[in-house]
Amino acid sequence: GLEEISKLYNPVIRGWWGYYGRYNPSGLYPFCRSFNKTLIAWATKKYKSLKGSKRRAGKLLQKIAKERPWLFEHWNRGMIGSFV
């Protein structure tokens, strides 16, 4: 699930924040938005109830991001509003 994805991608996200976030943190917004959209695509494929509904998948992931922001580094840094 999301835990496995976060274990795989959090080191990459942390690296980007460490390098680019120091000089141009607003430049990371497109990357975080793209990553969140990729998570939406994953959720629509993973769960039958979300199939074909990016909006519902986005709302679900946004709820998860607010409940467990530590799951992904960019969520922990406040980039949770770009799901839908």
Side-chain angles (χ1 to χ4, degrees):
L2 283 175
E3 290 82 13
E4 291 83 18
I5 295 171
S6 73
K7 286 178 185 174
L8 186 64
Y9 286 102
N10 266 341
V12 175
I13 297 170
R14 261 189 229 102
W16 281 60
W17 273 102
Y19 185 77
Y20 293 106
R22 179 174 297 193
Y23 304 106
N24 188 13
S26 64
L28 287 172
Y29 184 77
F31 164 73
C32 293
R33 183 170 176 81
S34 175
F35 190 81
N36 286 342
K37 287 185 179 242
T38 302
L39 289 174
I40 289 171
W42 169 82
T44 58
K45 291 176 184 166
K46 173 84 173 164
Y47 301 105
K48 286 183 180 181
S49 63
L50 298 175
K51 186 174 182 174
S53 180
K54 292 179 185 177
R55 181 171 295 253
R56 280 187 299 169
K59 286 184 179 190
L60 174 68
L61 286 170
Q62 193 166 27
K63 180 182 172 192
I64 293 170
K66 287 181 182 177
E67 290 173 355
R68 301 187 299 178
W70 63 87
L71 202 53
F72 288 98
E73 185 66 27
H74 65 293
W75 291 359
N76 202 19
R77 294 178 184 256
M79 296 290 234
I80 61 172
S82 56
F83 283 104
V84 182

